[in-house]
Amino acid sequence: MSCKSLLYMVGMFVFVPVWIGLLWTDFLKIRERASQLLHAWVLGFATMLATAQLVLVPFVMMQKTLTQALLLWRILLQILAVLSFVIWLGRRAEAAEAVVDASAGTADGAGVQKKVHGKAGTWTIVFGILAAVLILLQAYIPARYEHSDDDDSRFVAEEVSAVVHDTMYREDPITADYMYWDTGEVRKDLTSPWAMFVAMHAKEGNMAPAALSHAYLPFFLILICYALYLLIGQVLFGGDWEKTFLFGIVLSVLHLAGYTSTHTMASMLLLRIWQGKAVCASFALPLLFYLFYQIMKKEAWKRWIPLLYVAGVGTCMLSGIGIVTAPVVLAVYGVLDFCYYRNWRKTLAIWLAVVPCVVFLGYYLM
């Protein structure tokens, strides 16, 4: 991988999602630094997936080129990044004013308030380092050595065809014959254009699609998934980072020992993560359950509801499995939430997040 391609991958899968995700952390009023970073990374990546879905599906239907889709997607990401920067500047200005006001109050004899910062304990540091080593190891090994999955040959063929011919789903991935985008299995790919998402990155980063899928994407996708798992650990253990890191260690060990078939969560995460269905199972569906927990917290649910719509659209982009599964879990959670709170407005808001999935599913079945 060239330095340019490496910088592109770090920028597009670390810096850009974190920067865009700061929009959400500001909206959700998340202030703790580590939690803010993890939330920004996870929610920013989910926003990128949803944005790609909204661009790619209509562009494929209108028979636009990959370059045109990439251009619009890039513009939308830049708009989100600029908006995030403006909000960040506003937040910094407010913080500076607060400091000035506090200083003035001290000068007037109001007294000095000392802020006590808790220090991480020894075991927190040890568990954190061990969790980081295990997670980085799991991200590195599949990216460096494991390229033996034959199930994605059709998707890689679609990516290569898109980059070489600057089209989207116009060549048969088996025979290379010209075809319409709603023919055969490609009709399913239209509503879940993960291959075109990868092709955009391959074209923009000047990388071979197969190399990107098998060697470079796994590293970053595994790290993003574990960022989400650490957030889940935070809610499971009440924000205790020592227990959260221990949770990450246990989860890592389970994944390392979990290859009993090609359909376990361990194989989806560590062996097949470059496939849309694997990202759906390892990232999108756990994200929905994490959002359910946050929405269940009665006092803050209105701030978290919009993320259900983002996650729903992003899940559609990954796989037909997501288009089918997401409405089911959203509907079931809506019933559970209503039984607990008896709030029809909240339940309706949850159920409306099903609409994008139903639209894409309905089109596929037509």
Side-chain angles (χ1 to χ4, degrees):
M1 176 186 261
S2 66
C3 291
K4 181 179 179 181
S5 297
L6 178 60
L7 290 175
Y8 172 80
M9 292 296 294
V10 172
M12 286 304 297
F13 287 93
V14 180
F15 179 77
V16 171
V18 168
W19 192 252
I20 292 175
L22 290 175
L23 280 170
W24 290 111
T25 59
D26 183 77
F27 179 70
L28 298 170
K29 300 187 181 303
I30 298 172
R31 295 291 179 258
E32 201 269 320
R33 289 298 178 85
S35 180
Q36 185 181 51
L37 176 61
L38 292 176
H39 276 96
W41 198 7
V42 169
L43 300 180
F45 182 65
T47 304
M48 290 173 64
L49 294 177
T51 306
Q53 173 76 351
L54 295 177
V55 170
L56 286 170
V57 172
F59 268 49
V60 172
M61 296 178 66
M62 293 186 293
Q63 302 181 14
K64 300 297 184 181
T65 65
L66 180 69
T67 300
Q68 291 172 321
L70 176 59
L71 178 61
L72 178 58
W73 187 61
R74 189 191 303 158
I75 291 172
L76 293 176
L77 292 185
Q78 289 171 352
I79 292 173
L80 291 173
V82 170
L83 182 60
S84 180
F85 181 67
V86 171
I87 292 176
W88 179 80
L89 286 178
R91 189 167 62 249
R92 295 291 293 179
E94 292 176 359
E97 291 178 2
V99 170
V100 171
D101 292 342
S103 300
T106 301
D108 292 337
V112 179
Q113 292 182 344
K114 294 184 180 181
K115 187 176 182 181
V116 179
H117 298 274
K119 294 183 179 180
T122 302
W123 284 111
T124 302
I125 296 174
V126 171
F127 289 153
I129 293 174
L130 184 55
V133 170
L134 284 172
I135 292 170
L136 288 171
L137 183 66
Q138 288 178 84
Y140 173 75
I141 291 178
R144 180 66 177 84
Y145 297 107
E146 179 55 52
H147 310 140
S148 61
D149 188 1
D150 297 327
D151 187 43
D152 66 339
S153 57
R154 176 167 63 88
F155 304 112
V156 173
E158 290 171 345
E159 296 161 11
V160 172
S161 178
V163 172
V164 172
H165 301 291
D166 197 23
T167 58
M168 293 190 290
Y169 299 125
R170 301 306 299 275
E171 292 82 29
D172 190 298
I174 298 175
T175 65
D177 293 335
Y178 178 86
M179 68 175 187
Y180 294 101
W181 43 260
D182 60 350
T183 302
E185 283 193 312
V186 178
R187 183 180 179 86
K188 176 179 65 178
D189 296 337
L190 161 69
T191 53
S192 301
W194 169 256
M196 295 303 102
F197 178 78
V198 177
M200 288 196 301
H201 287 294
K203 185 177 182 66
E204 183 78 348
N206 193 29
M207 292 173 280
L212 173 63
S213 294
H214 291 161
Y216 309 137
L217 266 182
F219 182 83
F220 294 96
L221 292 177
I222 290 172
L223 293 183
I224 292 173
C225 289
Y226 268 104
L228 172 59
Y229 301 158
L230 290 178
L231 288 179
I232 293 174
Q234 280 281 282
V235 301
L236 289 176
F237 301 106
D240 188 323
W241 279 107
E242 179 179 327
K243 294 178 181 177
T244 298
F245 289 141
L246 184 58
F247 171 74
I249 293 171
V250 173
L251 200 59
S252 297
V253 173
L254 291 176
H255 283 148
L256 287 171
Y259 184 56
T260 55
S261 79
T262 57
H263 302 290
T264 62
M265 275 300 300
S267 64
M268 286 289 181
L269 178 67
L270 300 182
L271 303 180
R272 308 173 65 183
I273 192 60
W274 53 78
Q275 298 176 353
K277 69 186 81 171
V279 181
C280 179
S282 302
F283 176 80
L285 295 180
L287 176 60
L288 283 173
F289 281 95
Y290 177 74
L291 295 177
F292 293 160
Y293 171 84
Q294 296 293 355
I295 292 170
M296 202 73 179
K297 296 163 66 175
K298 187 175 182 179
E299 69 280 0
W301 69 270
K302 290 182 179 179
R303 295 183 179 276
W304 290 88
I305 282 288
L307 281 164
L308 280 185
Y309 295 81
V310 173
V313 175
T315 302
C316 292
M317 211 276 294
L318 297 170
S319 171
I321 296 173
I323 293 177
V324 174
T325 307
V328 174
V329 296
L330 283 165
V332 171
Y333 174 71
V335 172
L336 175 65
D337 194 274
F338 178 76
C339 291
Y340 192 82
Y341 288 116
R342 296 291 196 274
N343 187 336
W344 272 112
R345 292 178 58 191
K346 183 180 181 183
T347 302
L348 182 60
I350 294 168
W351 281 347
L352 285 176
V354 173
V355 172
C357 302
V358 173
V359 170
F360 291 120
L361 178 62
Y363 179 82
Y364 171 65
L365 296 176
M366 287 173 56

